[in-house]
């Protein structure tokens, strides 16, 4: 079958005459190749989904010693590199994600007004991460926080705690330590 | 002189607070149709356009406004403002003229010279060609003269403050302030597109086909003007000129103070109802908590449409009834649904500005907020 098709294509190509059959055959061949090319493109696209190297900063990092922190202050040292705010309050520490729960911009900590404020659509969050202004539908997320063996604070971003699911009560979401 | 210009600026700043600005835009929308035959007279219209332009020139003397208006991104917006004003006038003017001619039994503007046939080539192609060359030249000059407003390299740690969408999307960005991202970012834009595509299928009224008219299509025209000029153009203007750092409202002549921090304690309907009104705690279960909001939404979307043709005042009910009969039930209710979804934006905006309402229904447990 395939051989017949190719022979007739070949014949038409050699003789330079186009019959109805050879036309249909050429057309079929053309479509076949087109489909194959499209398939290859799709496969190549799929390949992009699996990059050779993936840059991912470590999910857990050490955030210094507890006595480096001041009570009631938001520490913005880890914002640029890890996307985390570590807050020291009277009873202990918690780590807030710097991703706005609206559409993912990075809010700023406005110390004079004691709130996080997002520059994209104006969502505002209290120092605790609770939302109170603008469109953000839920509070900022918190990360797992604990003490490392050497006495430094250890923040692990692979574990997320969401207030609306009642997860802030979780022991790992908060590091108790009286000032 | 100084004092006078300061007062003028202050008045404009006051007008450009969201509520008065929006009320004015809505009033304009209706007034422009009701008094169309008055204001479209070229003498009056061009005086107004001239005044508008003078106002713009005056505004440029203010350094805060100047820095907004001359930013490379924003120049198209200024051009757009003047162009929308001009073309709105042009459409209205021809409509009014046609209405007058119709009343006098004379042929429409569009019918004049209908007997003379001209060929596409060269008559149309020639004009298009010239316009094409002109536009290309304009764009080349534009891209050479006006620098792209580049900012510092992007970083996930620092979002520019304020962070603005491309100018033609500022209306959508404004919508995001009032609705859940899923609603404002996905559902509403799709509905806008679907709704616009649906117009030819919904609107079977042959009046106004091929000629301008105001009288015969006043409802369609004011409806369109509201959706396009107010909810799209005016919101772009609002997003450009009136939104500053931390996405707060500023007057066009206000200094963009990063430390301006108005108190905006937004509350959900459930909180307004249970805590503020009934003075009790929120119910535990979300269904109980949001029952009121859900009921209101259902009423708005499904009960209200049935009531439209029963309004007893000012023949409104009659008007909608006639529309329902002419359009047929399916078309009519589709139209009303689209109409109500469109109106939910201004309603929500006004509620946010006046009573700080955040969401009518807020179920963060299931990522569902309206
Ligand atoms: S992304 Fe933060 S308010 Fe929209």
């Amino acid at each position: 079958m395939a051989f017949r098709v190719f022979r007739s294509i070949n014949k038409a190509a050699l003789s330079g005459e186009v019959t109805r059959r050879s036309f249909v055959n050429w057309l079929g061949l053309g479509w076949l190749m087109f489909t194959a090319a499209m398939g290859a493109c799709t496969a190549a696209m799929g390949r992009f989904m699996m990059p050779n190297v993936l840059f991912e900063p470590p999910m857990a990092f050490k955030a210094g010693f507890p006595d480096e922190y001041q009570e009631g202050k938001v520490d913005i040292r880890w914002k640029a590199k890890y996307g985390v705010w570590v807050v020291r309050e009277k009873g202990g520490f918690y780590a807030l994600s710097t991703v706005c729960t609206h559409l993912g911009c990075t809010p700023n900590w406005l110390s004079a007004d004691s709130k996080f404020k997002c520059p994209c659509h104006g969502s505002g969050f209290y120092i605790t991460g609770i939302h109170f202004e603008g469109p953000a539908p839920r509070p900022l997320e918190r990360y797992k926080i604990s003490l490392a063996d050497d006495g430094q604070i250890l923040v692990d971003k692979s574990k997320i705690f969401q207030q609306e699911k009642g997860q802030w009560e979780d022991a790992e979401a908060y590091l108790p330590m009286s000032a | 002189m100084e004092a006078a210009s300061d007062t003028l600026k202050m008045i404009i700043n006051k007008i450009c607070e969201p509520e008065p600005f929006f009320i004015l835009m809505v009033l304009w929308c209706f007034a422009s149709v009701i008094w169309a035959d008055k204001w479209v007279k070229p003498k009056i219209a061009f005086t107004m356009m001239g005044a508008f332009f003078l106002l713009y020139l005056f505004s440029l003397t203010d350094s805060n406004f100047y820095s907004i208006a001359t930013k490379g991104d924003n120049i198209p917006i200024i051009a757009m403002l003047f162009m929308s004003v001009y073309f709105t006038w042009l459409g209205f003017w021809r409509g009014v003229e046609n209405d007058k001619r119709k009343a006098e039994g004379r042929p429409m503007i569009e019918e004049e010279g209908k007997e003379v046939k001209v060929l596409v080539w060269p008559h149309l192609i020639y004009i298009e060609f010239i316009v094409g060359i002109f536009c290309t030249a304009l764009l080349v000059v534009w891209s050479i003269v006006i620098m792209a407003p580049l900012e510092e390299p992007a970083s996930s740690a620092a979002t520019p403050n304020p962070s603005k969408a491309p100018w033609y999307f500022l209306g959508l960005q404004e919508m995001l302030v009032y609705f859940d991202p899923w609603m404002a970012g996905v559902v509403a834009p799709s509905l806008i597109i679907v709704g616009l595509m649906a117009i030819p299928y919904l609107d079977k009224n042959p009046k106004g086909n091929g000629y301008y008219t105001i009288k015969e299509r006043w409802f369609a025209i004011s409806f369109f003007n509201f959706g396009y000029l107010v909810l799209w153009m005016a919101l772009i203007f609002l997003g450009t000129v009136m939104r500053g750092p931390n996405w707060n409202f500023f007057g066009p002549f206000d200094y963009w103070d990063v430390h301006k921090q108005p108190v905006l304690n937004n509350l959900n309907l459930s909180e307004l109802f249970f805590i503020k009104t009934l003075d009790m705690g929120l119910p535990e279960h979300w269904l109980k908590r949001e029952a009121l909001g859900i009921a209101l939404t259902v009423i708005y979307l499904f009960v209200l449409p049935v009531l439209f043709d029963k309004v007893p005042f000012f023949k409104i009910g009659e008007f909608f009834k006639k529309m329902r009969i002419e359009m047929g039930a399916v078309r009519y209710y589709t139209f009303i649904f689209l109409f109500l979804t469109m109106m939910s934006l201004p309603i929500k905006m006004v509620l946010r500005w006046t009573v700080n309402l955040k969401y009518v229904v807020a179920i963060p447990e299931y990522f569902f907020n309206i």
Side-chain angles (χ1 to χ4, degrees):
Chain A
M1 167 66 197
F3 179 68
R4 275 224 319 269
V5 169
F6 278 113
R7 205 178 48 190
S8 85
I9 288 176
N10 209 4
K11 223 167 79 193
L14 285 181
S15 65
E17 89 189 276
V18 183
T19 62
R20 180 175 299 195
R21 166 159 310 208
S22 74
F23 173 76
V24 172
N25 284 336
W26 274 113
L27 196 71
L29 188 67
W31 271 109
L32 201 72
M33 279 161 68
F34 178 72
T35 317
M38 286 332 250
C41 285
T42 318
M45 283 272 279
R47 177 67 186 76
F48 279 121
M49 300 292 150
M50 285 153 273
N52 294 339
V53 237
L54 202 57
F55 175 71
E56 268 172 3
M59 290 300 271
F61 67 96
K62 288 190 176 158
F65 292 95
D67 51 2
E68 288 171 21
Y69 290 84
Q70 271 180 309
E71 190 186 317
K73 286 257 161 67
V74 174
D75 196 305
I76 55 172
R77 277 181 296 167
W78 319 108
K79 180 177 165 185
K81 195 151 173 217
Y82 300 105
V84 174
W85 286 300
V86 179
V87 185
R88 167 56 147 153
E89 59 176 19
K90 196 136 195 265
F93 293 89
Y94 51 86
L96 284 173
S97 142
T98 62
V99 177
C100 178
T101 50
H102 180 226
L103 280 177
C105 289
T106 310
N108 297 308
W109 169 246
L110 308 175
S111 52
D113 309 278
S114 282
K115 66 179 176 188
F116 301 102
K117 187 81 177 157
C118 185
C120 289
H121 315 92
S123 286
F125 306 86
Y126 292 125
I127 190 170
T128 54
I130 299 282
H131 59 309
F132 70 104
E133 281 180 342
R138 55 200 189 89
L140 294 174
E141 289 167 354
R142 289 189 183 181
Y143 292 129
K144 177 178 165 189
I145 188 166
S146 56
L147 272 190
D149 295 335
D150 59 357
Q152 290 202 53
I153 291 175
L154 187 68
V155 177
D156 184 358
K157 291 171 42 181
S158 56
K159 199 122 198 251
I160 292 166
F161 299 96
Q162 289 169 250
Q163 190 266 352
E164 71 276 14
K165 294 191 181 157
Q167 293 165 338
W168 281 12
E169 308 302 324
D170 203 293
E172 292 184 322
Y174 194 76
L175 175 62
M177 185 181 293
S178 46
Chain B
M1 199 54 207
E2 191 71 343
S5 94
D6 279 351
T7 358
L8 183 57
K9 282 183 193 173
M10 207 189 68
I11 295 173
I12 294 177
N13 273 345
K14 271 269 168 312
I15 294 177
C16 283
E17 272 165 23
E19 298 93 339
F21 176 75
F22 198 70
I23 292 173
L24 276 181
M25 291 307 295
V26 173
L27 286 183
W28 170 84
C29 209
F30 292 108
S32 63
V33 171
I34 296 174
W35 289 297
D37 51 338
K38 307 257 164 9
W39 73 268
V40 295
K41 289 190 186 119
K43 239 189 228 150
I44 301 182
F46 279 97
T47 318
M48 286 197 306
M49 280 186 237
F52 185 44
F53 187 64
L54 282 184
L55 189 64
Y56 172 66
L57 288 185
F58 162 76
S59 307
L60 282 182
T61 59
D62 181 274
S63 62
N64 295 317
F65 183 85
Y66 181 85
S67 62
I68 301 176
T70 51
K71 200 174 158 230
D73 258 2
N74 296 345
I75 292 173
I77 305 183
I78 306 292
M80 175 197 79
L81 286 184
F82 286 103
M83 277 176 6
S84 342
V85 170
Y86 173 74
F87 283 111
T88 309
W89 168 76
L90 192 65
F92 267 89
W93 180 63
R94 294 190 128 208
V96 167
E97 174 70 22
N98 273 347
D99 288 342
K100 205 161 70 198
R101 291 183 179 208
K102 188 151 198 179
E104 291 166 5
R106 285 189 292 143
M108 305 276 178
I109 307 179
E110 287 78 8
E111 272 161 22
E112 264 169 23
K114 219 178 174 183
E115 326 69 54
V116 193
K117 280 238 156 63
V118 286
L119 297 172
V120 168
W121 169 261
H123 297 283
L124 177 67
I125 304 284
Y126 187 68
I127 295 174
E128 286 178 344
F129 182 63
I130 298 286
V131 172
I133 290 181
F134 178 74
C135 286
T136 314
L138 186 78
L139 284 179
V140 169
V141 173
W142 184 313
S143 58
I144 292 172
V145 174
I146 297 170
M147 290 298 145
L150 293 183
E151 294 170 355
E152 65 271 24
S155 134
S156 61
T159 310
N161 191 7
S163 213
K164 294 197 177 184
W167 64 270
Y168 42 84
F169 278 155
L170 280 172
L172 284 182
Q173 190 176 7
E174 190 59 28
M175 199 150 80
L176 277 165
V177 175
Y178 307 97
F179 286 99
D180 183 76
W182 167 246
M183 285 289 156
V186 181
V187 178
S190 333
L191 269 181
I192 294 176
I193 295 171
V194 172
L196 285 175
M197 292 197 304
I199 291 178
Y201 303 98
L202 295 178
D203 182 9
K204 285 274 170 182
N205 190 342
K207 296 213 175 108
N209 274 1
Y211 61 96
Y212 286 89
T213 170
I214 301 291
K215 269 213 187 86
E216 293 175 9
R217 298 309 305 266
W218 65 269
F219 181 74
I221 290 171
S222 19
F223 182 50
F224 177 81
N225 279 355
F226 185 72
Y228 181 63
L229 290 176
V230 179
L231 290 186
W232 195 261
M233 293 293 175
L235 284 192
I236 289 179
F237 176 79
L238 186 146
T240 316
V241 173
M242 290 153 64
R243 286 292 194 177
N246 298 321
W247 215 249
N248 284 321
F249 274 118
F250 290 84
F253 305 118
D254 276 340
Y255 168 67
W256 276 10
D257 182 2
V258 190
H259 298 291
K260 173 181 170 183
Q261 291 302 341
V263 205
L264 300 166
N265 250 314
N266 291 335
L267 293 173
N268 291 327
L269 184 69
S270 54
E271 291 163 325
L272 277 178
F273 181 68
F274 284 109
I275 300 178
K276 284 272 150 94
T277 320
L278 296 187
D279 213 2
M280 51 189 249
L282 286 180
E284 274 290 303
H285 196 265
W286 61 265
L287 196 61
K288 242 197 213 154
R289 188 184 69 214
E290 304 301 339
L292 178 68
I294 297 177
L296 282 180
T297 317
V298 170
I299 292 179
Y300 182 74
L301 280 184
F302 299 105
V303 181
L304 219 55
V306 194
L307 298 180
F308 261 78
D309 54 3
K310 303 208 170 48
V311 186
F313 318 108
F314 305 116
K315 298 197 187 152
I316 293 179
E318 262 169 59
F319 178 78
F320 278 103
K321 195 179 222 161
K322 204 170 130 226
M323 201 148 110
R324 196 192 65 207
I325 293 167
E326 272 169 13
M327 289 171 86
V330 177
R331 283 204 195 93
Y332 174 76
Y333 286 116
T334 318
F335 161 72
I336 297 284
F337 172 76
L338 290 170
F339 176 74
L340 285 174
T341 359
M342 181 177 112
M343 291 314 283
S344 67
L345 175 63
I347 293 177
K348 193 79 190 287
M349 282 163 54
V350 171
L351 285 176
R352 176 68 64 80
W353 297 332
T354 49
V355 294
N356 276 327
L357 176 79
K358 186 176 202 164
Y359 292 126
V360 180
V361 180
I363 315 176
E365 289 92 336
Y366 294 101
F367 290 100
F368 184 83
N369 309 285
I370 12 179

